[in-house]
Amino acid sequence: MPENAPWEYTLYIPNDLRAVTVARRTLRLILTMHGLIRLTDTAELLAAELVSNAVRHTKGPAALRVRWSAGVLRIGAWDADPGPPEPPGELSAMGDAEEGRGLALVKACADLWGWQPVSRRGSRGKYVWCELAAA
């Protein structure tokens, strides 16, 4: 498959903190197989933060979605809670805080990020995403 051809994967995960490690390792394998190893370290960090938030702050299942199109990698996490995520603070102001840094890291490391409510086939929730350009 050519590197420029679009693709998408979705990994459905239970509400279990071990799912963060499964998501990171799955993402690394996907990017390696598609020749995008140069994005792996940053993409793994972003996916871990998004999935961790989905698992820690909700009670239902979650999903990691990874999409490549037009030279942009989009990483997103869906969870069953339709409420908006807490707005990220400034990473530089957080010092050594143990909590509350997830979306601040996403905001600092991604080219673009956002969230949207989701309602599909009777399911509700939200999708928090970020993008990395290949360049």
Side-chain angles (χ1 to χ4, degrees):
M1 178 180 293
E3 186 177 321
N4 293 335
W7 48 260
E8 182 175 315
Y9 294 87
T10 302
L11 174 66
Y12 294 95
I13 55 178
N15 190 286
D16 183 331
L17 282 176
R18 293 173 291 193
V20 177
T21 301
V22 171
R24 286 180 70 152
R25 290 183 179 167
T26 301
L27 177 61
R28 177 172 286 276
L29 181 59
I30 290 168
L31 295 179
T32 300
M33 296 303 294
H34 283 283
L36 296 168
I37 194 75
R38 65 191 177 279
L39 298 177
T40 302
D41 291 338
T42 304
E44 271 190 282
L45 171 69
L46 295 170
E49 294 301 335
L50 295 176
V51 171
S52 177
N53 282 349
V55 172
R56 285 180 188 268
H57 302 297
T58 67
K59 293 184 182 349
L64 171 69
R65 184 171 159 199
V66 184
R67 183 180 70 187
W68 172 259
S69 181
V72 175
L73 181 68
R74 178 175 274 206
I75 303 164
W78 168 84
D79 65 57
D81 181 358
E86 291 291 322
E90 288 301 317
L91 191 57
S92 59
M94 295 186 171
D96 293 331
E98 290 292 319
E99 291 190 12
R101 297 174 48 154
L103 283 181
L105 277 169
V106 170
K107 180 180 168 186
C109 296
D111 296 318
L112 189 63
W113 82 277
W115 78 279
Q116 61 198 58
V118 176
S119 180
R120 187 179 293 160
R121 293 184 215 121
S123 296
R124 293 178 41 134
K126 70 177 163 295
Y127 180 65
V128 182
W129 55 269
C130 63
E131 293 182 345
L132 288 175

